[in-house]
Amino acid sequence: MDDFLTFTLIGLVTGALYAIAASGLVVTYTTSGIFNFAHGATGMFAAFLYWKLRVDLGWPAPVALIVILFVIAPLFGAVVERVIIRGLWNVSEVTKLIVSISLLFGVYSAATIMFSPNIGRQLPGFFEGNTIDLGVYDMSWHEAITILAAVLTAAALRFLLFGTRSGVAMRAVVDDRDLSRLNGGRPDRSAMLSWAIGSSLAALAGILLAGSQGALTHIPLTLLVINAYGAAMFGRLRSLPLTFLGAAFIGLAESFAIGYLDLDTPLSSFFGTELVTPLSLNGIRAAIPVLILFTVLLFLPPLKVRAGAQLKSREIIPSPGPRRWLIGTVVLGAAAFAFASLYEGVRTFQMGQGLALGIVMLSLVPLIGYAGQISLAPMAFAGIGALVMGGWGGEGTLFGLVAAVVVTAAAGALVALPAIRLRGLYLALATAAFAVLMDQLVFNQNAVMPNGSLAVGRLDLFGFSFDDDRAHLVLIGVTFGLVATLIVWMRNRPFGRRLLAMKSSDAACVTLGVNLATTKLQVFTLSAGIAGLGGALYGAQLNSVSTPTFQFLNGLPIVLFAVIGGIAAVGGALFGGILYALSFLILPEVAPALTNLLVLGPALAGISLGRNPNGAVNETARSFKRMLDERAAAKRTSETGAPAADDLDLLGVDGFSDADRVELDRETGLDAEPLYGPLRPPSRPAEVLAHG
C-alpha cells in the first residue's frame, strides 16, 4: 500500500506539470484557432533564460521568476500573436500548422545558438534539499510547489474566464469571433492576451520541469508539449477541467508503469522464441503519454464533414505536364553529373543527402499539396524504408529497394486506417504521435539498429555499382525526376482530381459519391511508399543510419522545407532538398560566420508563409511569367502606338495593384481561373460594384 501511495504522489506531480503545459495550449487554441506546436520550445527557452538569471547572473529566485513569467514570456506571446498569428487569414489548416511548426523550429534553433548544447547546465529545484515528510514519501519542496502551481493555475484561469471582463471577452471569441466583434468586442486583443497567458504557462511548466530534472537539456524540454498533447485532447482543446483530469491520468499512468510494469523481459519471450538480439519494451514507459494521445484521438467522436461551398484560399496548385518533367528528369540527371564532376568529394556527398531528402519531401506533395491531409511523420516512414533497405538489401540489391517501398507503403496504410476519420490538427497530432512512437519503440531497439547503427548498402544493378558518390548522385536525381513525373501525371488523372476535390470541399465530394475513406487510404499509402523510397536512398547515401537519424524533431525541417519550396509543386520538393543541403550541410562549412543565420533562415521563411502561402517555386514562376507578360505587352504597345484592351491591366492602367486584383477576384468571383495561368484581373469596375 505504501508503494501505491508513493507512486500516486509521484504521478500527481507529473500530472501537475502536464496540466500547466496543456492549459496554456488550450487557452491559445480556443481564442486563435492555432495549435501552438512551439509551446514546449517556449517553455524550454524560458527555462534556459531563468537559469541565466538565477544561476549564471546570481539573481534571487523570486526576482528571476517574476521577470520571466510576467515580463519576458507574456511579451513574447503577445508579439508572436500580433506579428505572426494574426496574419494567418484565409490560409489552409496545413499552412497554419506549418507556421506553428516553423515557430517551434525557430525558437529551438535560437535556444541552441544562445545556449550551446555542448555545455552542461544544472538548474536546482526550489528550496533544494528540503522535503516534506508525508509518512510514505518524502516530497521535495519543488514537487509540492509544482502541485500548488497547478492548483493556483486552475483557480486563476477559472476566475479569469468567468469572473473578469477580459475573460468573458475571451470566451465570446471562442464561441463566435465575428459575433463578438459585431457586439463591440475586440477579438484581436483577446487573442493577444491569451497568447501572453499561454506563453507564461509554458514558461512556468518549463522551469518546473527543468528544476525537477536538475539538468537543462534542449530536446526533452521541447518535447514536454507532446506529453501535454494527450491532456489537452482529453478536453478536445476546449475544456480546462477535462484537460486537468487528463493530465492527472497521464501522470498516474506513467508513474504506475514505472512501479508495476515489468519491461525487463525480452519481447521475444512472449512469443516463445528467442532472438540473437532480443527486442525490448523499455521504451514503452517514455511512450505512455504518446500512446494515450493516440488512443484519445482514436476514440474521439468522428469529425463531421464540413458543410458549405468551396473553401476560400489564397493558395494555388500548379499543373505542369508530365512531358515537362520527363525532360526535367534528363536535365536533372545531367545537372547532378555536372555538379559531381565540378565538386568531387564531400560536396557531392552532401548534395546527395539533400536530393534524397527531396524525394522524402516529394512524398508530401500528393498527401498535403493535393489532398490537404497533413502528416508530420515523413521521416518516420523514411526510416522504415532505410531499415528495410539495410536489412534486406544490405548488399545493394534491387529487391531491397523494392521491398523498402512495399513495406513502407503497407506501414502507411496501417497508420492511415485509424487516422482516416481524422483531419486537420487531429491528423497532424496522430502522425506526430506515430513518429514519436517510432523513435521510442523502434529506432532505439538494439535488435533493429545493433549498437545504435545499421549499414545500408548502395545499389548494384546489372553489374553496375553505384558506390561512387557521383554515380549515386545521378541515380538519386533521375529517381527524383521519375517520381515527380509520376506525381504530375497523376495530378490530372481521376485519382488526382479526387484528391484536389477533397482538399477543396469534402462535403461536395461526399455529395457526389466520392468515398473519402478509400481516397485517404490510397493517398497515405502512396505517400508512405515514396517516403520509403527516399529513406532507402538516403540511408544508402549515408552508408549507414543511426538512432537519431529519423527522430521526430529531425523530421520537422523536412516538412518545413517542402512547404517553403511549395507543397503543391513537385519543383518545391526539389527546391527544398537543395535548400536543405545548402543550409544545413554545405554553407555552414563554406561560410561558418553565417551558420546561425542559416539555422534560423528556414524557420523565418516558414513563419512568413502566413503572408505568402504558395511557396518559393510558385511565387517565382508567377513573378517570372508576369514579367514576361509585361514585356510582351510593352512591346506590342510600342509597335502599335497604343495598348490593346487586354494589355491595360498588365500595364497597370486600371489602377489596381496585383494584390488588389487577386483579392477582388476571390471576393467577387469574376475570375475563377487559378493564378497559375493567365492572370485576368477584374478591370471592369461596374461589374465589381454590381457584385457588391
Side-chain angles (χ1 to χ4, degrees):
M1 187 63 182
D2 289 350
D3 289 342
F4 176 80
L5 293 176
T6 298
F7 290 122
T8 299
L9 291 173
I10 295 174
L12 290 176
V13 173
T14 305
L17 279 172
Y18 293 159
I20 295 172
S23 61
L25 279 171
V26 173
V27 169
T28 54
Y29 179 80
T30 52
T31 54
S32 64
I34 307 294
F35 188 85
N36 186 13
F37 276 94
H39 195 71
T42 302
M44 175 269 296
F45 204 172
F48 275 93
L49 290 176
Y50 175 75
W51 171 88
K52 181 70 176 178
L53 299 179
R54 175 73 180 90
V55 178
D56 196 30
L57 299 181
W59 288 23
V63 177
L65 272 177
I66 291 174
V67 170
I68 297 296
L69 298 182
F70 298 102
V71 179
I72 296 179
L75 182 62
F76 173 78
V79 171
V80 166
E81 192 283 328
R82 180 62 184 87
V83 177
I84 300 174
I85 303 303
R86 197 174 296 182
L88 298 180
W89 58 274
N90 238 14
V91 299
S92 66
E93 187 74 17
V94 171
T95 302
K96 293 178 182 179
L97 292 173
I98 293 302
V99 170
S100 180
I101 292 170
S102 301
L103 183 62
L104 182 159
F105 190 66
V107 174
Y108 175 81
S109 300
T112 58
I113 292 172
M114 294 180 62
F115 304 96
S116 174
N118 299 322
I119 300 176
R121 299 174 180 85
Q122 298 294 322
L123 181 65
F126 296 121
F127 303 101
E128 186 77 11
N130 295 313
T131 60
I132 302 174
D133 187 4
L134 299 179
V136 296
Y137 177 65
D138 289 336
M139 176 177 287
S140 69
W141 278 60
H142 187 89
E143 292 173 326
I145 290 174
T146 300
I147 294 178
L148 178 62
V151 174
L152 292 178
T153 297
L157 289 176
R158 172 74 184 183
F159 174 75
L160 172 67
L161 294 176
F162 292 90
T164 66
R165 185 179 183 86
S166 297
V168 173
M170 291 171 63
R171 290 166 53 210
V173 173
V174 175
D175 292 335
D176 194 315
R177 188 183 187 93
D178 294 332
L179 185 60
S180 171
R181 182 181 287 110
L182 288 174
N183 284 274
R186 296 183 177 181
D188 290 337
R189 179 179 295 182
S190 298
M192 182 181 291
L193 175 62
S194 70
W195 275 79
I197 295 173
S199 294
S200 293
L201 292 175
L204 177 60
I207 293 171
L208 291 173
L209 179 62
S212 64
Q213 292 181 338
L216 278 173
T217 50
H218 293 77
I219 293 180
L221 289 174
T222 301
L223 292 180
L224 161 70
V225 70
I226 295 182
N227 292 341
Y229 288 170
M233 294 311 300
F234 261 83
R236 297 202 69 177
L237 292 171
R238 291 188 177 274
S239 171
L240 284 173
L242 288 179
T243 298
F244 276 77
L245 179 63
F249 176 78
I250 294 174
L252 291 172
E254 272 194 280
S255 180
F256 290 147
I258 295 174
Y260 298 107
L261 190 60
D262 182 13
L263 300 178
D264 295 329
T265 304
L267 180 63
S268 55
S269 300
F270 290 102
F271 301 97
T273 60
E274 292 294 336
L275 301 175
V276 175
T277 307
L279 295 173
S280 171
L281 289 174
N282 286 326
I284 285 184
R285 289 194 183 103
I288 282 178
V290 185
L291 287 170
I292 293 176
L293 166 64
F294 203 77
T295 303
V296 170
L297 290 171
L298 294 184
F299 285 94
L300 283 175
L303 296 174
K304 297 181 180 180
V305 174
R306 293 168 294 181
Q310 178 178 348
L311 297 177
K312 291 179 62 178
S313 176
R314 291 181 283 137
E315 301 176 39
I316 60 177
I317 302 176
S319 180
R323 181 180 302 177
R324 182 186 304 177
W325 266 99
L326 276 177
I327 299 173
T329 300
V330 178
V331 174
L332 188 57
F337 182 84
F339 181 89
S341 300
L342 290 173
Y343 303 98
E344 296 182 2
V346 66
R347 298 292 173 254
T348 298
F349 178 75
Q350 292 168 334
M351 185 56 68
Q353 295 179 53
L355 280 185
L357 290 176
I359 298 177
V360 179
M361 299 176 197
L362 203 58
S363 69
L364 299 176
V365 174
L367 182 64
I368 300 179
Y370 293 174
Q373 305 300 308
I374 184 67
S375 172
L376 300 182
M379 285 299 281
F381 291 117
I384 295 174
L387 293 180
V388 174
M389 184 67 180
W392 294 356
E395 300 300 324
T397 63
L398 181 61
F399 171 77
L401 186 63
V402 174
V405 176
V406 173
V407 172
T408 310
L414 290 176
V415 173
L417 284 175
I420 280 176
R421 58 202 296 275
L422 305 175
R423 68 167 177 265
L425 170 62
Y426 294 163
L427 183 58
L429 292 177
T431 54
F434 169 73
V436 175
L437 287 176
M438 291 295 296
D439 290 348
Q440 297 173 341
L441 298 180
V442 177
F443 296 144
N444 65 348
Q445 292 280 350
N446 200 44
V448 175
M449 292 189 183
N451 300 319
S453 65
L454 176 69
V456 182
R458 296 185 179 180
L459 280 179
D460 189 351
L461 297 176
F462 310 111
F464 182 82
S465 175
F466 289 93
D467 288 339
D468 179 68
D469 283 343
R470 179 168 60 180
H472 203 251
L473 179 62
V474 174
L475 172 65
I476 295 174
V478 171
T479 303
F480 183 100
L482 293 176
V483 176
T485 302
L486 173 65
I487 292 175
V488 298
W489 172 82
M490 181 194 70
R491 159 73 167 79
N492 291 317
R493 305 299 297 174
F495 177 61
R497 289 195 289 268
R498 286 201 304 273
L499 296 181
L500 296 172
M502 182 171 62
K503 180 179 183 179
S504 177
S505 176
D506 47 10
C509 290
V510 172
T511 302
L512 295 174
V514 176
N515 190 321
L516 293 182
T518 301
T519 304
K520 288 183 180 181
L521 180 61
Q522 291 170 342
V523 72
F524 261 96
T525 303
L526 172 66
S527 176
I530 296 174
L533 173 64
L537 292 176
Y538 180 60
Q541 177 68 18
L542 295 175
N543 295 311
S544 66
V545 294
S546 59
T547 300
T549 303
F550 302 104
Q551 283 184 341
F552 172 65
L553 284 181
N554 293 337
L556 291 183
I558 303 304
V559 182
L560 177 58
F561 276 101
V563 178
I564 291 174
I567 195 62
V570 292
L574 178 61
F575 178 90
I578 296 175
L579 185 63
Y580 182 95
L582 292 174
S583 300
F584 287 168
L585 303 175
I586 297 177
L587 291 180
E589 296 181 1
V590 176
L594 299 177
T595 299
N596 293 341
L597 178 62
L598 293 171
V599 169
L600 289 174
L604 297 176
I607 290 172
S608 69
L609 288 172
R611 306 291 180 182
N612 178 17
N614 292 310
V617 171
N618 283 336
E619 289 304 313
T620 302
R622 283 185 58 207
S623 299
F624 184 71
K625 186 179 185 302
R626 178 76 178 177
M627 181 185 66
L628 293 180
D629 290 343
E630 289 176 349
R631 288 184 178 180
K635 182 178 180 181
R636 287 192 295 269
T637 301
S638 64
E639 292 175 351
T640 61
D646 292 340
D647 292 337
L648 289 175
D649 297 332
L650 290 172
L651 296 175
V653 177
D654 61 0
F656 289 111
S657 68
D658 191 38
D660 293 335
R661 295 185 184 104
V662 172
E663 182 59 23
L664 284 172
D665 281 351
R666 298 298 188 190
E667 292 183 356
T668 64
L670 291 177
D671 183 11
E673 183 175 354
L675 295 181
Y676 192 92
L679 183 63
R680 295 184 291 127
S683 57
R684 300 172 295 279
E687 292 186 38
V688 173
L689 294 174
H691 282 78

